[in-house]
Every structure is written in C-alpha cells, then in structure tokens.
Amino acid sequence: MRVSRLLVKTHLGLERIAASRILEALKSKCTVKPFPHGSAGIILVEAVGDPDGLAVLIEGEVPEAERVLPVHAEAGADLEDICRAVVEAVK
C-alpha cells in the first residue's frame, strides 16, 4: 500500500484536538501535523491506505474536521509541474 496524504480543515483553535482525534480514529498508524508552516485551521495527515477511504473515515469519526481533502498529486508553483501532476493524478 502507498502512503496517502490528506489535508484537514478545522475551526481555528481546534487543530490540536482534531489532530488527537485523528490519531485515535486511525489507531496511531499515521503522522499528524497540526499548524503546518504556521497555517492555522489546517492539519496534514500521512497514513497508509486509500486516501478517499481515509477521508471518509476521518469525516465520520472526527466532528472537528470541517473538510477532509485527499491529496492526489503534489506540484510546485510552475505551470509545467502542475500539468505533469494533473496528468499523473487522472491516470
């Protein structure tokens, strides 16, 4: 299985609580980073499994999670990198 990344949006001030509940929901088989690069209201999650399935699990188990977005591709701020990532994500 591959490592999946998810972006979780929470209410401001609930990042650490939501991160703790995500760890509980995924049975500590993940890496959770609240406030990535100082971004309030955001949590980055890395876990092994299907990103869409993990997103549904977190949405159902963590009431503090306003929105859970699976990351299907990553790219730099360059148009060619973005195009390559889009092509790879839709395969």
Side-chain angles (χ1 to χ4, degrees), residues 2-45:
R2 68 182 187 123
V3 174
S4 300
R5 292 185 177 93
L6 299 115
L7 180 70
V8 180
K9 169 70 179 95
T10 67
H11 289 287
L12 296 178
L14 296 179
E15 298 89 348
R16 288 190 175 92
I17 295 168
S20 175
R21 294 211 179 170
I22 291 169
L23 280 171
E24 289 175 12
L26 299 180
K27 300 181 181 18
S28 299
K29 297 179 182 177
C30 64
T31 302
V32 179
K33 186 175 180 183
F35 300 109
H37 306 290
S39 301
I42 303 287
I43 303 168
L44 291 180
V45 179

Side-chain angles (χ1 to χ4, degrees), residues 72-75 79-91:
H72 293 288
E74 295 179 25
L79 188 56
E80 289 181 21
D81 286 344
I82 294 169
C83 290
R84 258 186 255 116
V86 168
V87 168
E88 189 64 33
V90 296
K91 284 184 181 180

